[in-house]
Amino acid sequence: MTRAVRHTTDLVPGLRVGSVVDIGGGTGAATWAVAQAFPDLTTATVADGSTDALATGRRIARHGPPAVAAATWQRTHLRSDTVLPQAGLAIVSYLLGELADPLQEAVTDAAATASPTLLIIEPGTPRGYAAVLAARSRLTRAGWHVLAPCPQDGPCPIADRADRADDWCHFAVRLDRSALHRRLKGGRLGHEDEKFSYVVATRDPALRGTSSPGRVLRHPVTRKGLVQLEVCHADGSVGREIITKRSPMAYRAARDAAWGSTWPDQALDSAAVPTTVSSEDRNKE
Ligand SMILES: C[S@@+](CC[C@H](N)C(=O)[O-])C[C@H]1O[C@@H](n2cnc3c(N)ncnc32)[C@H](O)[C@@H]1O
């Protein structure tokens, strides 16, 4: 959640959030992430159907920043006619994938009615991506504008390409595991790579930027003298870019790029060779 929110604030530095409604918020993890990122946050409502989750969240929240400690923990059974509290930002975090399709749509609509800006996040699996994509399409059809991670509002080029049937848009963050974490999960590694798919959309015209940079879609591949980036572009295309040392500025920028970074196309000069990724190439990797 923190990484998705940080991606968003990087892309939309003008975004201010004074209130949040965390839908299917459970113990309020997303509310904590929002409180960290937005110092102006004063009001938070966590709406969830589970009294146990809400009670646990309320107990943990006592140790949180002021907006979290003062949050309202509201028992809410999400149904097709649910009306949610109004807020500057609505978050639907790791929920949609648990709901049947008609309820996914109803919750997306209820969230969009409750707030002008909506962040939806799901596990970075094909199923999670499908839920995010369905909500994204629903919102853009209703005239909403995508703020992150996509650089454009048109159809997702990954979903649209036949040779990408085994691909889906997601990002990853490496999380340290404490000893307790390892024990609870039965894992031995000291970290885990959490994959997530997300979308942030708005109906607030003031948040629409004039142009949006591309987005690096997976770990950059660094070889001697070159960096290979997979980039989703503002023109609705997606493809591989190879940046060599012959373009020193672009090369330095590419070496600093990471999965999820923005990629300023204008930084590339003539030595950057955009190519298209084929599934055959992907298999060789
Ligand atoms: C996987 S948890 C995610 C919790 C939290 N959003 C997070 O990211 O940590 C899914 C949450 O959705 C809630 N939930 C699922 N279906 C619901 C429904 N129909 N009405 C209300 N809450 C629901 C569950 O109680 C649970 O807390």
Side-chain angles (χ1 to χ4, degrees):
M1 281 307 309
T2 300
R3 182 59 59 89
V5 172
R6 195 187 310 151
H7 279 181
T8 306
T9 51
D10 285 351
L11 277 173
V12 197
L15 182 62
R16 300 277 176 274
V17 175
S19 55
V20 66
V21 56
D22 187 355
I23 301 159
T27 52
T31 297
W32 280 74
V34 170
Q36 268 172 12
F38 297 101
D40 297 341
L41 187 78
T42 54
T43 311
T45 305
V46 182
D48 198 280
S50 162
T51 46
D52 287 345
L54 292 170
T56 304
R58 185 186 284 118
R59 193 153 52 86
I60 302 169
R62 286 191 213 126
H63 307 282
V68 174
T72 300
W73 301 83
Q74 179 179 298
R75 186 153 195 223
T76 307
H77 288 294
L78 296 164
R79 297 187 319 208
S80 58
D81 58 352
T82 299
V83 176
L84 294 160
Q86 295 286 313
L89 175 71
I91 296 201
V92 181
S93 153
Y94 293 81
L95 169 71
L96 289 185
E98 295 195 358
L99 307 177
D101 288 355
L103 191 51
Q104 288 189 20
E105 293 175 358
V107 168
T108 303
D109 292 351
T113 303
S115 175
T117 304
L118 177 52
L119 189 164
I120 294 172
I121 182 164
E122 283 291 307
T125 58
R127 185 190 160 116
Y129 165 63
V132 169
L133 190 62
R136 179 191 187 277
S137 305
R138 196 166 179 82
L139 293 166
T140 53
R141 274 201 305 275
W144 283 50
H145 172 65
V146 181
L147 296 176
C150 324
Q152 51 93 25
D153 299 337
C156 171
I158 295 179
D160 273 10
R161 282 178 50 159
D163 64 344
R164 286 175 175 270
D166 62 345
D167 200 4
W168 61 96
C169 180
H170 64 288
F171 301 91
V173 58
R174 178 155 289 191
L175 303 173
D176 289 336
R177 278 179 174 167
S178 64
L180 175 62
H181 202 172
R182 282 201 297 276
R183 186 147 56 86
L184 290 172
K185 290 204 148 181
R188 275 180 296 170
L189 285 177
H191 67 267
E192 63 190 39
D193 291 316
E194 174 72 15
K195 297 188 169 71
F196 60 97
S197 291
Y198 78 103
V199 67
V200 183
T202 189
R203 63 176 142 87
D204 180 354
L207 290 176
R208 295 183 67 126
T210 45
S211 67
S212 186
R215 181 62 78 163
V216 176
L217 286 187
R218 46 188 66 241
H219 285 308
V221 177
T222 305
R223 302 221 173 91
K224 200 170 183 313
L226 67 83
V227 179
Q228 191 176 287
L229 300 178
E230 177 106 357
V231 182
C232 190
H233 294 282
D235 65 4
S237 67
V238 65
R240 177 182 296 174
E241 300 201 359
I242 296 168
I243 299 97
T244 71
K245 269 187 170 167
R246 280 180 290 151
S247 319
M249 278 177 63
Y251 179 68
R252 270 197 299 277
R255 284 186 64 98
D256 288 341
W259 189 358
S261 297
T262 53
W263 180 246
D265 298 356
Q266 62 272 23
L268 299 178
D269 61 23
S270 53
V273 187
T275 58
T276 303
V277 179
S278 69
S279 48
E280 192 187 342
D281 287 342
R282 181 178 303 289
N283 291 339
K284 279 185 211 150
E285 287 168 10

